[in-house]
């Protein structure tokens, strides 16, 4: 069953109110990218605090990119504690 395969990206932001973010645009920007490139992308947001990327299944080395389909990418934004 491939329904559980994909990536979860959790981004913590520093803000009293969570900013309005365009997740579809974010997904299109990061699709197929390596995790370190994705982390650098999220660092461009002024509210950025931390990012956690979970890829399932985890693939080694050059195979360890984000999915090439945006439907397989989930992004959640949480307020930093």
């Amino acid at each position: 069953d491939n329904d559980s395969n994909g990536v979860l990206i959790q981004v913590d932001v520093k803000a009293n109110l969570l900013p309005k973010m365009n997740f579809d645009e974010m997904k299109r920007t990061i699709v197929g990218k390596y995790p370190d490139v994705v982390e650098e992308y999220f660092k461009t947001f002024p509210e950025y605090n931390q990012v956690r990327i979970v890829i399932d299944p985890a693939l080694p080395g050059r195979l360890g990119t984000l999915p090439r389909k945006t439907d397989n990418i989930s992004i959640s934004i949480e307020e930093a504690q």
Side-chain angles (χ1 to χ4, degrees):
D1 185 21
N2 288 338
D3 289 344
S4 64
N5 293 346
V7 65
L8 168 68
I9 300 172
Q10 178 180 337
V11 180
D12 291 334
V13 294
K14 294 183 275 190
N16 290 336
L17 298 173
L18 296 178
K20 183 176 180 180
M21 305 185 110
N22 185 336
F23 293 142
D24 290 332
E25 181 179 324
M26 289 178 178
K27 289 178 184 184
R28 286 191 300 270
T29 301
I30 63 176
V31 69
K33 302 280 193 277
Y34 289 103
D36 57 337
V37 174
V38 173
E39 187 165 354
E40 289 301 315
Y41 167 73
F42 281 105
K43 286 181 181 179
T44 65
F45 293 93
E47 304 87 2
Y48 167 86
N49 185 44
Q50 176 182 352
V51 65
R52 184 174 69 98
I53 301 171
V54 178
I55 300 175
D56 182 34
L59 299 173
R62 297 187 52 80
L63 298 176
T65 62
L66 271 65
R68 301 205 182 283
K69 289 179 57 180
T70 57
D71 290 344
N72 293 336
I73 298 175
S74 299
I75 298 176
S76 71
I77 304 293
E78 296 183 3
E79 185 175 352
Q81 299 300 323

